């Protein structure tokens, strides 16, 4: 009976964090550029950020409103407003809609996603939800706040991570810095800018292999859980 359970594949479950002044619905449209063969293997939950956008959105005229933002920041991106409220909101949504295995973030959502595993490990964020097991970062970067840099990236993150870097993305140099914070990151380079890219043959291979790894991780978790249950019964 137990051996049958270990062969059941469970879809990796992600909470999806959209870009600055966009929305969960917009990110859903963006991610569905990926082939059905990829999307169908993931359990995706798209959130809207907690704050209505406080200025013009770059996607106005491309995607319909409403638009939201995760937190606000100064011109240098070194000081953040409502960041703690953002973390509280995200934890609350993850409690109510979870449990989740990982995060997928784009742009501001990717910057947030890239820092959360470190903040969680330090006991600063997401203490009431399960440990983040893996992340997918699209057009991301590091935080620039000194305090957040210390708390988010002080040690190498050993979770599986998949990073998309656009050739002409203005965040590319900062996305490259973020990659250095992860052990054995999988990197997909694409020729576009700051966008969720379509997957060509080469990138599709990398993404497929990454999902294979996640599924294997989850299957091993189930097996360990079953073995622990069996040992308690003996």
């Amino acid at each position: 009976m137990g051996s049958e359970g270990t062969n059941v594949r469970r879809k990796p479950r992600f909470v999806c964090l959209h870009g600055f002044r966009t929305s969960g619905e917009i990110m859903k449209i963006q991610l569905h550029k990926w082939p059905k063969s990829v999307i169908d293997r993931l359990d995706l939950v798209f959130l809207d950020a907690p704050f209505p956008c406080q200025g013009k959105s770059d996607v106005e005229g491309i995607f319909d409103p409403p638009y939201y933002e995760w937190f606000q920041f100064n011109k240098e991106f070194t000081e953040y407003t409502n960041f703690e409220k953002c973390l509280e909101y995200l934890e609350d949504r993850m409690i109510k809609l979870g449990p989740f295995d990982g995060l997928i973030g784009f742009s501001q959502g990717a910057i947030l996603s890239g820092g959360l595993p470190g903040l969680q490990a330090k006991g600063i964020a997401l203490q009431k939800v399960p440990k983040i097991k893996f992340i997918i970062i699209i057009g991301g970067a590091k935080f620039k706040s000194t305090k957040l840099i210390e708390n988010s990236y002080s040690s190498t993150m050993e979770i599986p991570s998949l990073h998309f870097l656009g050739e002409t993305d203005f965040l590319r140099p900062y996305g490259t810095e973020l990659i250095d914070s992860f052990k054995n990151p999988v990197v997909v380079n694409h020729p576009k800018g700051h966008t969720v890219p379509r997957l060509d043959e080469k990138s599709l291979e990398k993404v497929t292999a990454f999902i294979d790894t996640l599924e294997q991780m989850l299957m091993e978790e189930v097996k360990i859980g079953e073995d622990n249950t069996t040992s308690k019964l003996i």
Side-chain angles (χ1 to χ4, degrees), residues 28-233:
K28 187 175 183 179
I29 294 166
Q30 291 170 320
L31 268 188
H32 276 74
K33 292 180 192 173
W34 292 358
K36 193 170 183 295
S37 61
V38 170
I39 296 296
D40 284 353
R41 293 178 69 186
L42 307 173
D43 185 359
L44 304 174
V45 176
F46 296 87
L47 299 185
D48 288 329
F51 304 104
C53 79
Q54 299 184 16
K56 185 173 169 59
S57 169
D58 287 344
V59 301
E60 216 171 283
I62 303 167
F63 296 108
D64 292 334
Y67 311 122
Y68 303 91
E69 53 198 53
W70 293 101
F71 53 90
Q72 295 79 44
F73 46 87
N74 64 350
K75 195 186 289 186
E76 293 76 28
F77 204 68
T78 53
E79 294 176 15
Y80 309 142
T81 306
N82 290 319
F83 188 76
E84 287 76 18
K85 287 182 181 176
C86 166
L87 295 182
E88 288 168 13
Y89 167 84
L90 183 55
E91 184 170 60
D92 178 69
R93 301 312 294 153
M94 290 177 77
I95 290 167
K96 287 178 179 167
L97 301 171
F100 292 98
D101 302 304
L103 305 170
I104 298 180
F106 170 60
S107 194
Q108 190 185 34
I111 294 169
L112 188 55
S113 297
L116 281 170
L119 292 175
Q120 188 181 46
K122 278 279 185 80
I124 293 165
L126 304 184
Q127 293 305 287
K128 297 175 186 174
V129 296
K131 179 179 178 289
I132 297 164
K133 301 183 183 90
F134 34 73
I135 62 171
I136 297 176
I137 300 291
I138 309 165
K142 279 186 170 184
F143 293 125
K144 285 190 175 180
S145 151
T146 305
K147 187 178 176 184
L148 280 175
I149 288 170
E150 288 170 5
N151 289 327
S152 301
Y153 320 111
S154 57
S155 55
T156 302
M157 288 175 265
E158 300 199 1
I159 61 172
S161 63
L162 173 63
H163 305 256
F164 288 83
L165 288 179
E167 191 63 43
T168 60
D169 188 348
F170 70 98
L171 284 183
R172 183 181 177 88
Y174 312 106
T176 304
E177 283 178 12
L178 177 62
I179 287 168
D180 293 337
S181 300
F182 289 86
K183 186 179 180 182
N184 301 322
V186 178
V187 181
V188 172
N189 288 287
H190 64 88
K192 301 291 184 182
H194 193 63
T195 185
V196 178
R198 297 183 187 279
L199 303 182
D200 60 19
E201 192 176 341
K202 192 175 178 182
S203 57
L204 180 58
E205 278 180 20
K206 283 191 175 183
V207 173
T208 301
F210 184 75
I211 297 172
D212 289 343
T213 300
L214 307 189
E215 286 181 345
Q216 189 60 41
M217 265 183 74
L218 297 177
M219 285 173 69
E220 285 170 9
E221 271 189 10
V222 171
K223 187 177 187 306
I224 291 166
E226 287 175 346
D227 288 347
N228 287 341
T229 303
T230 303
S231 63
K232 285 176 185 174
L233 293 173

